[in-house]
Amino acid sequence: MNATQQDSFNPPKIDLKQYIRSIPDYPKKGILFYDISTLLRNADAWQIAAARMANGVAKWNPDLVAGIESRGFVSASPLASSLGCGMIMIRKPGKLPGKTISLNYDLEYGQNCLHIQEDAVQPGQRVVVIDDLLATGGTLQASIELLRKVGAEVVGAAALIELKELKGREKIDVPLHSVITYE
């Protein structure tokens, strides 16, 4: 039986790190990039990763899952489907139609800006925010603040990969679930 035939909330015990490719000096010298494309193209490994994320997030009973551009969309869409909730997008400037609300935030190397559609969340809706990778935590915490700005009750966050040595978890002020961790 392959993973797609498994109960989606009871994934087999395998080490998903074997499906993550490490690329040194990308996107710039001194950075070790963890490439999820190798996980995504393996149907069984991807199904297991998605089920593990769903297991970690289900306890928060979200109304919506918010994916952070752009790799966060990859995990957020199947997660929302699995949990039976809606999915919304947090994007870079100029990428969303209609009226948007924005939030500028600082990064260790400059500034960035995130946008969400003004009507994406009804006041008090329970939202879990999703990204592919948690490093220093700046983008994830900014997304949480942006969601609160539009009336969301942010009940948790999840990342496919967490780089523990960068201590991003310390910046996040909601419960966090990580599928794969690197020390």
Side-chain angles (χ1 to χ4, degrees), residues 103-118:
L103 181 80
N104 292 310
Y105 65 103
D106 293 323
L107 296 168
E108 48 285 342
Y109 52 83
Q111 278 204 325
N112 209 344
C113 183
L114 295 171
H115 283 251
I116 190 168
Q117 288 174 316
E118 183 179 65

Side-chain angles (χ1 to χ4, degrees), residues 47-154:
Q47 291 293 319
I48 291 165
R52 287 181 186 173
M53 186 170 281
N55 280 342
V57 169
K59 63 185 170 236
W60 297 321
N61 298 311
D63 299 310
L64 295 168
V65 173
I68 301 172
E69 184 166 332
S70 66
R71 291 182 301 262
F73 300 163
V74 173
S75 295
S77 292
L79 179 61
S81 180
S82 176
L83 297 176
C85 62
M87 188 254 177
I88 57 176
M89 297 176 287
I90 297 173
R91 302 212 60 189
K92 295 174 183 167
K95 301 288 185 175
L96 289 169
K99 290 185 179 182
T100 63
I101 304 294
S102 66
L103 181 80
N104 292 310
Y105 65 103
D106 293 323
L107 296 168
E108 48 285 342
Y109 52 83
Q111 278 204 325
N112 209 344
C113 183
L114 295 171
H115 283 251
I116 190 168
Q117 288 174 316
E118 183 179 65
D119 61 353
V121 177
Q122 298 301 314
Q125 279 189 302
R126 297 171 59 83
V127 179
V128 172
V129 62
I130 308 296
D131 206 356
D132 68 319
L133 182 112
L134 173 62
T136 62
T139 301
L140 191 54
Q141 185 57 36
S143 297
I144 291 166
E145 291 169 17
L146 179 60
L147 285 160
R148 288 177 178 146
K149 194 173 175 180
V150 295
E153 178 188 348
V154 182

Side-chain angles (χ1 to χ4, degrees), residues 17-23 33-39 41 182:
K17 287 181 182 177
Q18 67 184 319
Y19 298 98
I20 304 293
R21 178 174 44 192
S22 299
I23 301 174
F33 184 82
Y34 292 97
D35 181 14
I36 65 168
S37 67
T38 48
L39 172 77
R41 69 177 163 228
Y182 289 90

